[in-house]
Amino acid sequence: KPGEQKHPKEPPSLQCMHLAVVACGDRLEETLIMLKSAVLFSNRRLCFHIFAEDSLKPEFEKKLKEWPSSYTKKFESNLYPITFSVGNAQEWKKLFKPCAAQRLFLPVILKDVDSLLYVDTDVLFLRPIDDIWHLLREFNSTQLAAMAPEHEIPKIGWYSRFARHPYYGTTGVNSGVMLMNLTRIRSTQFKNSLIPGGLTWEEMLYPLYQKYKNYITWGDQDLLNIIFYFNPECLYVFPCQWNYRPDHCMYGSNCRGAEEEGVSILHGNRGVYHDDKQPTFKALYEVIRDFPFEDNLFQSLYYPLQSKFLDTVHTLCGRIPQVFLKQIEKTMKKVYENRVIVYLGANHRY
């Protein structure tokens, strides 16, 4: 239009939202449900970066191709082997859970990707990824990654009670949902406890592991806590509703952001999708797993979820169903409205 300002095109690496996950062992289904939740609600195109054991790769390719074309056109997927650029590969593989340490090497491997959201396999998106992706704009000039606190209350937090190594802040941070500006990570010299000067990300990883390996419990997450203990100015801390775990409700509700806005990203750690310890988490997982792609979201996802939640009211997490339902209801209304507008636009001439 005359007088309209032209905006430069985004670099190719920024034209979609990059989502990375590492899957080993029996995590195939969990990973696919996570990717499904991402595709169901997100608006902008997604680029999946799936790091998987060789035995899982054919299954990933097969299952993703089975999704309806109306959804497969919303993403592209890239599969990678499990690789570690420095140190002993077998040591890295055994660190905490199989292959979990792979996430430490994402800045090194994905050299052409500017920014990335990493999530664990046991994560579910209850609103568009677009919304957490926008937090990249809130980084100041020194921040290059974002994570949520490991706990909200220091006196019952794990790090504040038991950690034998340095950790970020008063309760540490949880690495299950991690937003990263990879370009900044690759170009930064990090302060550390190894040498007086700075080290690059790749230079630092293995020596840091060697120094603290007898003191760490949670593997790669502990290493990230150590890194950001020495470089606190590099971390943006987002609130607990972006990484909502059983700890936020099983001892009583302690995530104020979720109480006010609803859960944005659900993190079912402790295996709660697959046992009966936290039926509220399991209900969400099963409803998203069983949702037929082309069905009505309210009829085949929201209403079954409400029904399942009625069976969980006897639990501490189940007593606050609105926390789990608020964002997902809001998101589904937007998806529904967008589809109605697109439909009307295609069928009416004004």
Side-chain angles (χ1 to χ4, degrees), residues 16 40 49 64 77 88 96 105-106 112 114 116 131 134 139 165 169 171-172 177 191 209 254 257 279 282 309 337:
C16 66
L40 278 177
H49 301 276
L64 291 172
S77 58
N88 184 305
F96 192 45
F105 295 87
L106 297 177
D112 296 327
D114 175 73
L116 179 82
D131 297 337
H134 290 157
F139 284 17
H165 58 76
T171 60
V177 179
K191 299 188 292 293
Y209 164 67
N254 60 50
K282 188 177 182 181
F309 274 7
E337 287 165 6

Side-chain angles (χ1 to χ4, degrees), residues 213-278:
K213 66 180 179 181
N214 294 325
Y215 304 99
I216 58 180
T217 303
W218 306 111
D220 48 301
Q221 177 173 292
D222 289 347
L223 288 177
L224 289 164
N225 267 283
I226 294 165
I227 290 168
F228 290 112
Y229 168 84
F230 290 106
N231 300 271
E233 73 285 355
C234 293
L235 191 67
Y236 175 101
V237 180
F238 51 67
C240 47
Q241 64 265 31
W242 292 104
N243 186 348
Y244 191 89
R245 284 157 276 129
D247 285 4
H248 290 121
C249 54
M250 63 191 283
Y251 307 117
S253 184
N254 60 50
C255 175
R256 186 175 296 176
E259 290 169 15
E260 293 170 357
E261 298 179 23
V263 174
S264 297
I265 295 179
L266 192 76
H267 184 182
N269 63 343
R270 303 175 182 266
V272 293
Y273 296 149
H274 313 294
D275 60 32
D276 297 316
K277 291 177 183 174
Q278 298 298 335

Side-chain angles (χ1 to χ4, degrees), residues 118-239:
Y118 164 86
V119 295
D120 284 349
T121 61
D122 53 8
V123 154
L124 292 171
F125 294 95
L126 305 187
R127 68 190 285 184
I129 290 183
D130 310 58
D131 297 337
I132 191 170
W133 195 257
H134 290 157
L135 295 180
L136 285 163
R137 300 174 187 171
E138 296 188 17
F139 284 17
N140 66 23
S141 59
T142 62
Q143 289 165 339
L144 45 75
M147 288 186 273
E150 172 64 23
H151 215 287
E152 303 305 302
I153 304 169
K155 67 180 180 181
I156 56 174
W158 192 91
Y159 283 106
S160 45
R161 289 187 297 160
F162 304 119
R164 295 187 295 150
H165 58 76
Y167 58 89
Y168 179 87
T170 55
T171 60
V173 282
N174 183 281
S175 60
V177 179
M178 185 164 50
L179 190 62
M180 295 180 279
N181 184 319
L182 300 184
T183 301
R184 286 187 179 183
I185 290 174
R186 285 188 287 263
S187 62
T188 297
Q189 293 282 319
F190 291 88
K191 299 188 292 293
N192 59 84
S193 59
L194 304 165
I195 62 168
L199 289 170
T200 68
W201 185 266
E202 189 175 18
E203 288 170 342
M204 175 175 57
L205 288 178
Y206 194 61
L208 204 65
Y209 164 67
Q210 287 295 319
K211 178 170 181 176
Y212 290 104
K213 66 180 179 181
N214 294 325
Y215 304 99
I216 58 180
T217 303
W218 306 111
D220 48 301
Q221 177 173 292
D222 289 347
L223 288 177
L224 289 164
N225 267 283
I226 294 165
I227 290 168
F228 290 112
Y229 168 84
F230 290 106
N231 300 271
E233 73 285 355
C234 293
L235 191 67
Y236 175 101
V237 180
F238 51 67

Side-chain angles (χ1 to χ4, degrees), residues 17 36-46 74 125 127-131 331 335:
M17 299 178 294
K36 182 179 183 180
S37 73
V39 171
L40 278 177
F41 300 131
S42 293
N43 303 313
R44 197 165 146 194
R45 185 171 172 77
L46 293 160
K74 291 176 67 177
F125 294 95
R127 68 190 285 184
I129 290 183
D130 310 58
D131 297 337
T331 298
V335 171

